[in-house]
C-alpha cells in the first residue's frame, strides 16, 4: 500500500522531496526543454545569403582607394591648367557606395531563385557622394586661376562651386 501511495503522489511531490539528484534532474529537464524549443523554433536556421554586387566584393579599403584615385585625378586635372603647379588635392566623400535594387510595381525588391538560393536583383551601384574638394597649389592665390579651377572642378565632378576651395602655396 505504501508503494502505491508513493506512485500516486505525482511529479510535484517527487520534486518537493529533498535531494540533490532530483534537483539536478529538474535542472537538466529544463535545459533540455529550452534547447528543444530553440531548435524546433528555427533559432539555428541558416540565414539567407544575398549576393553582393561585384563592385562591393572588395575589401574594406575600397572607399579609401576610391578617394585616393579621385584625388590623383583632380590633382592631374588642376596641374594641366596654365599657371598652376605643385598641386595637392583632398576630397571628402559621404558614406560608402549605395546599391539601387530593381523593384516591382509595388516598390518591393525583385528576387530571383528560391529558398536559400534566393537573391535580390540590383540595378546599379552608385559611388559615394563628393561632399567637398580642397586644392592647394602654386598659382592658387591668383583670383583668376582660383575661379578657373573652381569652375573646372565643379563641372568635372558634378558638384556645386561652393563645395570647392582653392588656395595658393
Amino acid at each position: 500500500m505504501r508503494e502505491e501511495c508513493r506512485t500516486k503522489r505525482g511529479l510535484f511531490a517527487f520534486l518537493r522531496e529533498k535531494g540533490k539528484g532530483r534537483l539536478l534532474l529538474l535542472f537538466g529537464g529544463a535545459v533540455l526543454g529550452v534547447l528543444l524549443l530553440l531548435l524546433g523554433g528555427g533559432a539555428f536556421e541558416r540565414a539567407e545569403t544575398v549576393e553582393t554586387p561585384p563592385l562591393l566584393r572588395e575589401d574594406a579599403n575600397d572607399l579609401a582607394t576610391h578617394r585616393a584615385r579621385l584625388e590623383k585625378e583632380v590633382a592631374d586635372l588642376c596641374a594641366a591648367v596654365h599657371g598652376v603647379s605643385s598641386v595637392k588635392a583632398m576630397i571628402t566623400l559621404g558614406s560608402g557606395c549605395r546599391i539601387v535594387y530593381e523593384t516591382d510595381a509595388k516598390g518591393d525588391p525583385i528576387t530571383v531563385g528560391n529558398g536559400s538560393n534566393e537573391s535580390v536583383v540590383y540595378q546599379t551601384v552608385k559611388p559615394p557622394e563628393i561632399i567637398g574638394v580642397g586644392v592647394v597649389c602654386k598659382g592658387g592665390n591668383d583670383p583668376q586661376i582660383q575661379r578657373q579651377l573652381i569652375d573646372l572642378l565643379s563641372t568635372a565632378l558634378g558638384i556645386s562651386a561652393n563645395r570647392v576651395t582653392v588656395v595658393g602655396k
Side-chain angles (χ1 to χ4, degrees):
M1 178 93 174
R2 214 168 203 184
E3 284 295 319
E4 194 175 302
C5 284
R6 254 190 184 173
T7 56
K8 288 184 178 179
R9 285 190 295 171
L11 180 64
F12 293 114
F14 173 76
L15 294 176
R16 272 188 253 145
E17 290 181 13
K18 294 182 181 178
K20 291 182 183 178
R22 292 184 178 147
L23 184 60
L24 185 61
L25 181 65
L26 176 64
F27 181 71
V31 168
L32 181 63
V34 169
L35 283 175
L36 286 173
L37 284 173
L38 288 174
L39 288 173
F44 295 109
E45 285 181 13
R46 193 177 65 163
E48 287 187 22
T49 57
V50 176
E51 186 175 329
T52 306
L55 295 174
L56 298 180
R57 287 187 192 152
E58 297 163 14
D59 59 47
N61 294 328
D62 196 35
L63 191 60
T65 304
H66 177 67
R67 187 183 69 154
R69 185 173 37 87
L70 280 175
E71 288 173 350
K72 183 177 179 347
E73 288 175 3
V74 165
D76 291 345
L77 185 62
C78 291
V81 174
H82 179 70
V84 177
S85 63
S86 186
V87 180
K88 179 84 173 157
M90 181 175 172
I91 295 180
T92 304
L93 298 174
S95 60
C97 296
R98 264 187 338 139
I99 304 172
V100 178
Y101 295 102
E102 288 286 341
T103 56
D104 59 13
K106 296 178 186 176
D108 297 328
I110 296 174
T111 58
V112 292
N114 57 16
S116 63
N117 293 329
E118 188 173 55
S119 62
V120 180
V121 178
Y122 68 94
Q123 180 181 31
T124 187
V125 177
K126 292 189 175 185
E129 179 186 8
I130 297 174
I131 304 296
V133 178
V135 175
V136 179
C137 61
K138 286 186 180 176
N141 287 332
D142 183 359
Q144 205 172 17
I145 290 179
Q146 281 181 347
R147 186 78 250 151
Q148 285 178 343
L149 290 178
I150 290 172
D151 290 343
L152 174 67
L153 294 175
S154 66
T155 302
L157 299 173
I159 59 176
S160 61
N162 64 341
R163 292 185 177 198
V164 181
T165 301
V166 177
V167 295
K169 281 189 175 183

